[in-house]
């Protein structure tokens, strides 16, 4: 069955909303967020296959799509938590033990400035990482490829500050190497706050040899030694400061030439005109220049970067999602009749809507294939449809089960109808399983999310039900 992927602006990950300046050094690390971010765990490949609808193309969120050497997918666990799953190519981590050691080490980090690592999977040749899902794109998208509005100056300063805090936290925990720090590694959470991707903390070699970006942007010492050092990370942070200032990806050598010639205006994004003082611009340029020093020992530490960026923060009382101009996850979405029925637990109304939908979400292909199957199988589906129409839900379950167990054809609508039939028979767990299966087959079908919500309401998992209800609403709106 074909379907179209659409990015959601809803996610169940916890956010660091409202925490801006003068926080305790370990705010959000460890105990402070233990309730929000679960402990690191080992996943099976089957769990991650289910979560990503079989690594469906529709769920790819990598900037480079399915042609990238390591593809990142959006997924959803049984508890409704959205995740990002990075699937490495077969040659990336030949040593399974080294991969597990690295992942477990990075997985101990917990901070509201990171897109934290939730777990990993190592089975056979498969190597996968599981992280918090960030629904609002990358810094590269907002800086270089924006569609509605350029990023405001106050938000650019906040990005620099939060990233410096992330690097300072990682350094304090003994993880001072970050590989290929760039605008694609900076992600925005549901509150619009920037987070540093945990994926860059994984080093797939013992001596720190790893750098995949354009060599024109690499630290000079990397070209000499082929190694990434903590000072190399600061150099890359300097290139990010240039990105934030210019709105373009400018080679550091060219930027430094402009700075030496005191041609700062050529370096500044024209979209920022009138948004900041000369002093602010000069200070950011000065900080970038220090990060880009040729000699590594001349560069500032993350702690110094944090201190230097605090005085530059502007509009600190304004939430990030407002500065970014993105929808806020806390904003109520207007519910459709189907969403209202789900919220009221009105199964009769949901039955009427599902009955009227028919099989149109199977996109027609299914009917042709069914006519070529065994007559007995086709009859069991037809009998199930008749029973479903006449609200004989026990018979509907029996008939749909016969059809499903033959296994020659999968239909999200059959799973959805059996799910509602289970709900009508007070079999909420079975209903939830079928609703999840409907979404595995059709990752962006709103009805599957609504049925998950109804089943979760039935088992009194209120928070998870509200998340599924919101997801169904977003999907239905996108389809309209």
């Amino acid at each position: 069955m074909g379907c179209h992927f659409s990015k959601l602006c809803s996610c169940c990950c916890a956010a660091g909303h409202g925490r801006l300046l003068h926080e305790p050094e370990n705010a959000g690390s460890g105990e402070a967020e233990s309730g929000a971010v679960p402990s690191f765990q080992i996943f099976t490949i089957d769990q991650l296959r289910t979560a990503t609808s079989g690594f469906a193309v529709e769920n790819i969120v990598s900037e480079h799509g399915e042609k990238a050497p390591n593809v990142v997918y959006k997924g959803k666990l049984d508890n409704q938590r959205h995740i990002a799953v990075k699937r490495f190519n077969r040659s990336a981590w030949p040593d399974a033990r080294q991969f597990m050691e690295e992942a477990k080490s990075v997985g101990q980090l917990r901070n509201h400035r990171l897109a934290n690592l939730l777990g990993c999977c190592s089975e056979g040749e498969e190597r996968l990482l599981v992280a918090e899902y960030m629904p609002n794109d990358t810094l590269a998208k907002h800086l270089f490829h924006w569609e509605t509005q350029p990023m405001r100056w106050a938000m650019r300063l906040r990005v620099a500050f939060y990233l410096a805090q992330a690097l300072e936290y990682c350094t304090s925990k003994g993880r001072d190497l970050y590989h290929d720090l760039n605008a694609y590694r900076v992600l925005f959470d549901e509150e619009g706050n920037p987070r540093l991707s945990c994926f860059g903390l994984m080093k797939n070699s013992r001596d720190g040899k790893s750098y995949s970006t354009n060599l024109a942007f690499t630290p000079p010492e990397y070209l000499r030694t082929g190694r990434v050092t903590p000072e190399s990370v600061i150099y890359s942070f300097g290139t990010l400061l240039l990105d934030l200032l210019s709105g373009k990806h400018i080679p550091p050598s060219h930027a430094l030439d402009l700075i030496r010639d005191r041609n700062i205006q050529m370096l500044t994004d024209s979209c920022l005109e009138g948004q900041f003082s000369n002093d602010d611009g000069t200070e950011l340029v000065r900080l970038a220049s220090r990060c880009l020093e040729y000699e590594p020992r001349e560069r500032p530490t993350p702690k110094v970067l944090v201190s230097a960026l605090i005085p530059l923060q502007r509009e600190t009382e304004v939430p990030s999602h407002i500065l970014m101009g993105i929808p806020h996850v806390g904003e109520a979405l207007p519910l459709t009749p189907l969403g209202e029925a789900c919220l009221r637990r009105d199964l009769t109304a949901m039955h009427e809507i599902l009955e009227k939908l028919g099989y149109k979400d199977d996109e027609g292909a299914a009917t042709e294939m069914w006519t070529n199957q065994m007559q007995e199988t086709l009859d069991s589906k037809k009998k199930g449809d008749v029973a479903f129409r006449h609200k004989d839900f026990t018979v509907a379950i029996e008939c749909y089960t016969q059809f499903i167990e033959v296994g020659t054809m999968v239909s999200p609508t059959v799973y959805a109808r059996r799910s509602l039939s289970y709900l009508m028979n007070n079999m909420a767990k079975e209903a939830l399983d079928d609703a999840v299966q409907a979404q595995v087959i059709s990752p962006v079908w709103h009805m599957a999310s609504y049925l998950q919500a109804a089943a979760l309401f039935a088992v009194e998992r209120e928070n998870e039900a509200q998340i599924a209800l919101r997801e169904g609403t977003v999907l239905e709106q996108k389809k309209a």
Side-chain angles (χ1 to χ4, degrees):
M1 170 173 164
C3 47
H4 301 285
F5 178 65
S6 58
K7 286 189 178 177
L8 303 182
C9 287
S10 62
C11 177
C12 58
C13 309
H17 170 56
R19 291 174 284 196
L20 290 174
L21 300 179
H22 313 303
E23 302 175 88
E25 191 168 324
N26 292 323
S29 60
E31 299 87 352
E33 289 204 320
S34 59
V37 185
S39 299
F40 183 86
Q41 70 178 94
I42 306 300
F43 291 90
T44 66
I45 189 68
D46 287 340
Q47 281 178 297
L48 299 183
R49 190 173 281 117
T50 299
T52 58
S53 299
F55 300 106
V57 172
E58 295 90 344
N59 283 342
I60 292 176
V61 292
S62 305
E63 299 282 348
H64 306 294
E66 58 187 323
K67 292 183 179 178
N70 308 308
V71 182
V72 180
Y73 298 85
K74 176 189 169 184
K76 188 172 72 172
L77 299 175
D78 290 344
N79 64 1
Q80 303 299 305
R81 179 180 285 277
H82 286 277
I83 54 173
V85 180
K86 183 170 186 175
R87 191 182 197 185
F88 289 93
N89 66 23
R90 300 285 163 133
S91 61
W93 289 90
D95 187 336
R97 193 168 127 191
Q98 184 192 350
F99 172 77
M100 291 296 287
E101 285 176 3
E102 270 295 293
K104 286 177 179 176
S105 178
V106 174
Q108 298 309 303
L109 302 177
R110 286 290 179 269
N111 191 271
H112 60 289
R113 298 293 179 244
L114 296 175
N116 294 287
L117 191 64
L118 303 178
C120 72
C121 172
S122 177
E123 289 185 21
E125 293 184 327
E126 291 282 7
R127 307 282 185 269
L128 304 100
L129 296 174
V130 179
E132 292 181 284
Y133 175 65
M134 301 289 115
N136 283 309
D137 296 309
T138 64
L139 178 61
K141 174 76 182 293
H142 291 291
L143 266 186
F144 310 141
H145 313 295
W146 54 272
E147 293 168 5
T148 55
Q149 66 177 54
M151 187 180 288
R152 287 163 58 179
W153 176 247
M155 192 65 213
R156 298 187 195 206
L157 292 173
R158 189 173 296 180
V159 169
F161 179 48
Y162 281 21
L163 288 183
Q165 287 185 318
L167 293 177
E168 183 186 14
Y169 168 76
C170 293
T171 299
S172 75
K173 297 297 181 182
R175 304 291 308 193
D176 52 6
L177 289 185
Y178 192 95
H179 297 275
D180 200 13
L181 178 62
N182 60 53
Y184 293 95
R185 297 283 202 185
V186 183
L187 313 165
F188 290 85
D189 65 19
E190 67 282 3
E191 300 280 354
N193 288 319
R195 309 260 204 119
L196 183 60
S197 169
C198 60
F199 294 150
L201 291 163
M202 294 280 295
K203 61 177 186 292
N204 56 2
S205 65
R206 291 293 184 192
D207 59 1
K209 288 185 178 179
S210 174
Y211 222 97
S212 59
T213 194
N214 186 314
L215 288 179
F217 296 87
T218 56
E221 67 273 13
Y222 181 80
L223 299 177
R224 295 196 303 268
T225 66
R227 282 183 172 77
V228 178
T229 66
E231 293 78 18
S232 308
V233 181
I234 301 301
Y235 186 94
S236 297
F237 185 84
T239 67
L240 267 177
L241 291 181
L242 294 178
D243 292 346
L244 291 166
L245 186 65
S246 66
K248 298 185 284 291
H249 202 36
I250 299 176
S253 57
H254 177 54
L256 289 170
D257 286 342
L258 291 174
I259 292 168
R260 284 188 204 98
D261 295 339
R262 299 186 180 281
N263 200 348
I264 307 300
Q265 197 160 353
M266 286 288 291
L267 195 58
T268 307
D269 192 337
S270 58
C271 296
L272 295 172
E273 192 170 343
Q275 288 191 36
F276 66 96
S277 67
N278 286 338
D279 288 347
D280 275 6
T282 302
E283 184 57 29
L284 203 66
V285 167
R286 190 182 71 82
L287 198 57
S289 300
R290 290 179 63 195
C291 292
L292 297 170
E293 286 282 0
Y294 185 83
E295 288 297 332
R297 65 177 178 273
E298 301 292 329
R299 298 170 199 157
T301 64
K303 195 176 189 69
V304 170
L305 289 175
V306 170
S307 297
L309 286 162
I310 286 176
L312 293 179
Q313 297 310 297
R314 303 288 176 256
E315 301 184 49
T316 55
E317 73 290 348
V318 182
S320 294
H321 70 89
I322 292 177
L323 286 178
M324 293 286 288
I326 59 177
H328 183 221
V329 72
E331 293 170 7
L333 289 172
L335 292 175
T336 63
L338 182 53
E340 288 279 6
C342 181
L343 185 61
R344 293 194 314 269
R345 285 75 152 174
D346 188 344
L347 298 181
T348 302
M350 291 185 73
H351 171 262
E352 288 177 13
I353 294 168
L354 188 53
E355 172 64 27
K356 283 178 187 172
L357 271 178
Y359 282 83
K360 66 181 179 183
D361 282 284
D362 282 334
E363 297 188 354
T367 309
E368 291 176 29
M369 295 181 70
W370 282 333
T371 58
N372 296 324
Q373 289 175 25
M374 294 163 39
Q375 190 63 41
E376 186 181 344
T377 308
L378 184 60
D379 286 346
S380 67
K381 179 205 156 285
K382 287 181 177 176
K383 287 176 185 174
D385 289 341
V386 171
F388 186 79
R389 187 179 312 121
H390 291 102
K391 302 181 182 178
D392 189 347
F393 297 111
T394 302
V395 172
I397 290 170
E398 291 173 2
C399 295
Y400 287 141
T401 300
Q402 287 174 22
F403 173 78
I404 288 169
E405 286 180 349
V406 170
T408 53
M409 180 63 200
V410 291
S411 161
T413 305
V414 167
Y415 276 105
R417 289 183 168 207
R418 191 173 72 167
S419 174
L420 188 63
S421 300
Y422 277 135
L423 280 172
M424 291 290 192
N425 280 280
N426 296 314
M427 301 168 71
K429 184 184 179 301
E430 292 81 355
L432 182 58
D433 289 344
D434 271 6
V436 169
Q437 191 58 40
Q439 192 165 53
V440 167
I441 301 166
S442 180
V444 293
W445 189 28
H446 62 281
M447 181 57 76
S449 293
Y450 282 132
L451 285 166
Q452 286 176 58
L456 289 163
F457 278 131
V459 294
E460 299 182 348
R461 288 160 64 179
E462 185 79 22
N463 289 343
E464 294 169 36
Q466 291 287 353
I467 293 162
L469 177 61
R470 183 181 176 86
E471 183 177 76
T473 304
V474 172
L475 287 172
E476 190 175 7
Q477 286 179 349
K478 285 186 180 290
K479 186 179 179 182

